[in-house]
Amino acid sequence: METILSSHSLHPILNPKASISKNLLLPSQQPRPVSLFLSKPITCTPKKPTSQLVKPSLAEPRNWFIHAQQGLAALAISLALNFSPVLYTGNAIASEFDVINEGPPKESYVVDDANVLSRVTKSDLKRLLSDLESRKNFHINFITVRKLTSKADAFEYADQVLERWYPTLEEGSNKGIVVLVTSQKEGAVTGGPAFVQAVGENILDATVTENLPVLATEEKYNEAVYSSAKRLVAAIDGLPDPGGPQVKDNKRESNFKSREETEEKRGQFSLVVGGLLVIAFVVPMAQYYAYVSKK
């Protein structure tokens, strides 16, 4: 049998590297001999990593700090929203400026920014106004907005739209602008010199005071716009005025009764109360008398 010996088990003479390395080490650094027979067994218990012990103590302050930061951020946002000035970002506020900046409609005659007109009304307006433009060369645009914030009333806004859409006299002479403000229940009609002369002051005033406000108060916006268009077209064509809607009498009946009705009701009430009092006294006495007479 052959014995295979490792290089570490050879004599120091045969293994010069081991002897040299041992001699070079200091006495304090030289390895001590290890006894193979120990009197007492040595037990080793693995220590838990320190990170697991530290994490719980650090996690709670960290979570508390994060919650505090989030609370302060929410408080800052709330204070900023409550005390900062209101920005004009709403659709109803920004819409009036959008109408002016976008210019006149190209494919229709209506800018329904208030979104109160039906498809049927828009189609009828397009057919009526396109026929008028082809025959008389007058162009009328209808605009609906929810609320006005930049101008005092619908007339100033209509004039502003006319000036921005048709800046020159040649462009705006035969143009008309009709504005309906749904929240304020009012309207306005304006236009260039040729349009105003063709319609006439009487029809313009009647349309503004009858068609637009009366029907808008009843929230009949489709009828308000289309009846105004028919009235303006009839005036330009020289036809009889179809007229405006009838103003309804909204007087309420009084809940107070007249003096005669009050006196009559008072007499009836006295009779009823007197009858109840008689019954309340007479019936118990009659019952008592009948009870005593039986004995």
Side-chain angles (χ1 to χ4, degrees):
M1 295 178 64
E2 295 180 0
T3 303
I4 300 175
L5 298 177
S6 62
S7 61
H8 297 284
S9 63
L10 297 177
H11 194 270
I13 298 175
L14 299 177
N15 191 5
K17 294 181 179 180
S19 61
I20 294 172
S21 61
K22 288 182 179 179
N23 294 330
L24 292 177
L25 294 175
L26 296 176
S28 59
Q29 296 178 352
Q30 290 182 2
R32 296 179 182 180
V34 180
S35 177
L36 298 176
F37 301 97
L38 300 175
S39 59
K40 294 183 181 179
I42 298 174
T43 58
C44 298
T45 57
K47 294 182 180 180
K48 296 182 179 180
T50 57
S51 60
Q52 295 180 356
L53 299 176
V54 177
K55 282 183 179 179
S57 61
L58 295 177
E60 293 180 358
R62 183 176 181 83
N63 292 336
W64 177 84
F65 183 71
I66 292 174
H67 289 304
Q69 284 183 335
Q70 293 176 353
L72 291 175
L75 179 61
I77 294 173
S78 177
L79 293 175
L81 293 176
N82 290 332
F83 294 98
S84 62
V86 179
L87 299 177
Y88 296 100
T89 57
N91 293 332
I93 297 176
S95 61
E96 58 181 301
F97 304 103
D98 294 338
V99 170
I100 296 176
N101 295 328
E102 290 178 0
K106 298 178 180 180
E107 298 180 357
S108 65
Y109 298 82
V110 182
V111 179
D112 185 22
D113 189 77
N115 196 21
V116 294
L117 301 181
S118 64
R119 293 182 179 180
V120 177
T121 301
K122 294 178 182 179
S123 177
D124 294 340
L125 284 173
K126 184 177 181 180
R127 183 176 61 256
L128 179 66
L129 298 178
S130 61
D131 178 70
L132 173 68
E133 187 174 11
S134 62
R135 294 185 294 102
K136 300 290 185 178
N137 195 26
F138 284 100
H139 186 94
I140 306 175
N141 291 312
F142 281 80
I143 302 172
T144 65
V145 293
R146 295 183 181 88
K147 187 178 180 180
L148 294 179
T149 58
S150 61
K151 297 300 178 182
D153 54 19
F155 289 97
E156 294 185 7
Y157 181 70
D159 291 336
Q160 184 181 11
V161 172
L162 181 66
E163 293 175 359
R164 290 289 299 274
W165 285 6
Y166 310 106
T168 63
L169 181 62
E170 291 76 11
E171 292 178 347
S173 179
N174 60 341
K175 303 297 190 303
I177 301 293
V178 181
V179 175
L180 176 62
V181 186
T182 58
S183 63
Q184 301 173 4
K185 312 298 182 184
E186 66 176 8
V189 180
T190 188
F195 173 79
V196 173
Q197 183 179 2
V199 176
E201 293 291 341
N202 295 332
I203 301 299
L204 291 175
D205 295 338
T207 304
V208 172
T209 57
E210 296 175 5
N211 295 77
L212 295 176
V214 173
L215 295 173
T217 303
E218 300 176 3
E219 296 187 355
K220 297 179 180 179
Y221 303 115
N222 291 274
E223 185 177 354
V225 171
Y226 191 66
S227 64
S228 301
K230 290 193 299 182
R231 199 167 189 177
L232 295 175
V233 171
I236 295 175
D237 288 336
L239 300 176
D241 182 19
Q246 298 294 330
V247 180
K248 294 182 179 180
D249 189 6
N250 295 326
K251 293 182 179 180
R252 298 180 179 178
E253 296 181 359
S254 176
N255 294 327
F256 297 99
K257 298 183 180 299
S258 62
R259 184 174 181 180
E260 292 77 10
E261 293 178 351
T262 304
E263 293 295 336
E264 183 180 356
K265 294 293 182 181
R266 183 180 298 174
Q268 296 176 359
F269 179 74
S270 300
L271 292 176
V272 172
V273 172
L276 292 175
L277 291 174
V278 170
I279 294 173
F281 283 100
V282 172
V283 171
M285 292 178 64
Q287 290 178 350
Y288 179 75
Y289 178 74
Y291 177 75
V292 172
S293 61
K294 288 181 181 180
K295 291 183 177 181

